[in-house]
Amino acid sequence: SKKLVLIMKLGMIGFWAHDHCEFYFSKALKDLGVDVIPFKLSKYFKGTLGGFENAIPLPLRAMNKLNADLIEEFNSEDVDNLFFWNCNHIFPSTMKKLKKMGKKISIYNNDDPYGSVIKDGKPFLQLFQYHWFMKSLKYADYNFVYRPINVDESKAYVLKDCKINILQPYFIPELHKPSMKKAKDCRYDVIFIGHYENDGRLEILDHLHTSGIRIALFGTGWNELKNSKLLGQKERIIPLRGDDYAKTLGDSKICLSFLSSMNRDVYTRRCFEIPGMRKLLLCQKTKEMMELFTDNEEATFFSNKNELVTKIKFLLDNLDEIDRISNSGYERSIQSGYDIKSRAESFLKIIQDG
């Protein structure tokens, strides 16, 4: 592949709060020969007031300061490309000034800012949260979106010559190392690591539980829930992060993934991390997932809770099948470039072929 080092310098603007976002993406860009200049928004939102100003981006002290600093920081000739990652606090006037300085602007949001509070049941806060983000889109040279439905939706906000592309999630080989464990040596039969959402996932997990399937559950938002046979039998449910997340997945025969209906997800980060760790992904069936992995060969998909029970029972009775599918899923992930470095490479190719 032709060397992608035409863009030597890139300003990376974001919160840098989650390692799997700006930190590892910029690391992948550095591995490709790019000098990444970080601009971190998190330092402007300290304490209680900072938390409030972060949640509801009012043009107060923190926002005014960060916008002034941002213009000053990149008011130099040698950084031509700026990449805004989930930035809800940048004024359109700031974007306009940066464009006047000749900067190429790329914007990415891996949430779902285009969804509707009314139609998709988004939190009411979203009306405020993405206010500046939506207004800034008209200054984007490149707009990167998370899911296919966002491509058309974002056309209403960007200018005609803006290039819109999907930047799919990925796995990070450094964090998600391929597991060497055979299914027969794994501690957990079925695991789900993720948040609670009122989209039927608890009903599905309860159904598995009453069907006699042992489930390990980790994540946020589960402890407040009542009337669940599964949760009634469990101690406090805790989230898992970093090494604990990877280790626990690595010790599981079957790894479940649910898709957030509020975020209108057709795939999620887990859908790439699990096969990237050479584990068996069992996920809700979507057209997009079927394109990413071949069903029953590289991952396994379900459409309803009865099909899910049938598939799990079959797999637990045939552990060699689990190992076979896990291996194929891992091979597919490598060959199709679902890793972070391949994603960073595609990103660079887009913004320099522009």
Side-chain angles (χ1 to χ4, degrees):
S1 69
K2 74 177 177 139
K3 259 314 206 192
L4 289 165
V5 204
L6 296 177
I7 291 169
M8 296 305 289
K9 275 194 174 176
L10 177 91
M12 183 95 153
I13 301 100
F15 256 76
W16 294 70
H18 304 291
D19 278 355
H20 65 266
C21 295
E22 298 93 330
F23 176 76
Y24 275 101
F25 202 84
S26 65
K27 209 166 180 238
L29 289 170
K30 284 175 197 165
D31 289 346
L32 293 162
V34 179
D35 181 8
V36 178
I37 295 133
F39 186 90
K40 302 184 179 181
L41 305 183
S42 42
K43 68 176 184 209
Y44 294 92
F45 299 99
K46 297 269 186 266
T48 313
L49 178 63
F52 171 74
E53 288 185 89
N54 173 18
I56 300 178
L58 296 167
L60 302 171
R61 177 197 53 102
M63 259 187 91
N64 293 329
K65 172 106 177 81
L66 87 79
N67 278 271
D69 289 355
L70 179 65
I71 290 165
E72 197 181 336
E73 168 82 22
F74 292 111
N75 191 8
S76 62
E77 301 313 300
D78 56 354
V79 187
D80 294 331
N81 282 274
L82 301 179
F83 185 22
F84 293 84
W85 187 299
N86 276 16
C87 291
N88 298 327
H89 303 84
I90 313 296
F91 295 132
S93 57
T94 301
M95 291 290 195
K96 194 176 180 179
K97 283 175 190 152
L98 293 167
K99 286 277 281 204
K100 274 220 168 89
M101 294 172 194
K103 311 294 180 199
K104 281 254 182 281
I105 289 176
S106 299
I107 293 180
Y108 179 50
N109 196 313
N110 60 350
D111 288 326
D112 185 20
Y114 308 95
S116 149
V117 171
I118 295 152
K119 206 169 75 223
D120 306 309
K122 297 270 183 191
F124 183 62
L125 190 65
Q126 182 159 317
L127 289 173
F128 307 100
Q129 201 182 355
Y130 298 122
H131 174 79
W132 304 109
F133 172 80
M134 302 311 266
K135 281 194 168 351
S136 294
L137 283 169
K138 64 171 179 280
Y139 296 106
D141 295 288
Y142 303 95
N143 186 31
F144 291 89
V145 298
Y146 186 84
R147 54 189 69 66
I149 197 171
N150 299 152
V151 173
D152 273 348
E153 292 173 335
S154 71
K155 284 179 184 161
Y157 300 93
V158 300
L159 296 184
K160 244 196 215 59
D161 53 358
C162 171
K163 305 220 166 21
I164 304 170
N165 287 275
I166 297 171
L167 177 54
Q168 285 184 333
Y170 40 74
F171 71 99
I172 302 166
E174 207 177 315
L175 293 181
H176 311 119
K177 298 185 175 63
S179 166
M180 304 318 265
K181 262 193 182 170
K182 291 252 181 285
K184 66 177 172 51
D185 302 320
C186 290
R187 173 180 171 189
Y188 303 108
D189 283 352
V190 179
I191 194 166
F192 176 62
I193 305 177
H195 68 280
Y196 168 73
E197 194 174 298
N198 184 15
D199 59 359
R201 59 184 63 184
L202 180 57
E203 289 74 4
I204 291 174
L205 291 171
D206 266 335
H207 183 66
L208 296 183
H209 173 70
T210 52
S211 305
I213 292 163
R214 293 188 309 142
I215 299 160
L217 179 61
F218 299 91
T220 54
W222 298 97
N223 294 310
E224 297 69 48
L225 304 172
K226 307 274 182 287
N227 309 332
S228 157
K229 290 197 172 78
L230 169 69
L231 296 175
Q233 299 210 329
K234 292 204 174 290
E235 304 284 299
R236 220 179 143 63
I237 288 160
I238 54 165
L240 290 178
R241 300 197 168 89
D243 275 356
D244 292 334
Y245 168 71
K247 258 198 212 87
T248 309
L249 273 183
D251 211 2
S252 306
K253 297 181 180 78
I254 297 171
C255 306
L256 261 180
S257 177
F258 292 110
L259 302 174
S260 162
S261 54
M262 189 178 72
N263 279 339
R264 305 181 299 162
D265 282 344
V266 290
Y267 42 64
T268 174
R269 223 163 24 102
R270 306 259 187 273
C271 299
F272 297 95
E273 292 170 351
I274 291 165
M277 289 179 61
R278 206 191 275 128
K279 300 307 299 181
L280 183 117
L281 169 68
L282 180 47
C283 176
Q284 281 155 309
K285 187 181 281 185
T286 63
K287 178 170 81 53
E288 289 77 9
M289 284 307 303
M290 304 280 282
E291 286 161 11
L292 292 161
F293 297 99
T294 306
D295 193 13
N296 299 327
E297 289 298 323
E298 297 161 339
T300 305
F301 306 121
F302 67 93
S303 300
N304 58 57
K305 57 189 185 185
N306 294 330
E307 183 184 11
L308 180 60
V309 169
T310 308
K311 285 200 162 188
I312 289 174
K313 289 192 165 166
F314 170 77
L315 289 165
L316 291 175
D317 286 341
N318 297 274
L319 297 183
D320 292 352
E321 267 301 274
I322 294 182
D323 294 331
R324 182 184 71 81
I325 296 171
S326 305
N327 280 320
S328 305
Y330 176 68
E331 295 303 322
R332 174 68 185 267
S333 303
I334 301 295
Q335 278 160 11
S336 293
Y338 300 158
D339 61 292
I340 191 167
K341 196 168 173 183
S342 302
R343 298 282 195 241
E345 208 161 341
S346 312
F347 164 78
L348 275 184
K349 199 166 160 20
I350 288 163
I351 68 170
Q352 76 185 19
D353 288 356

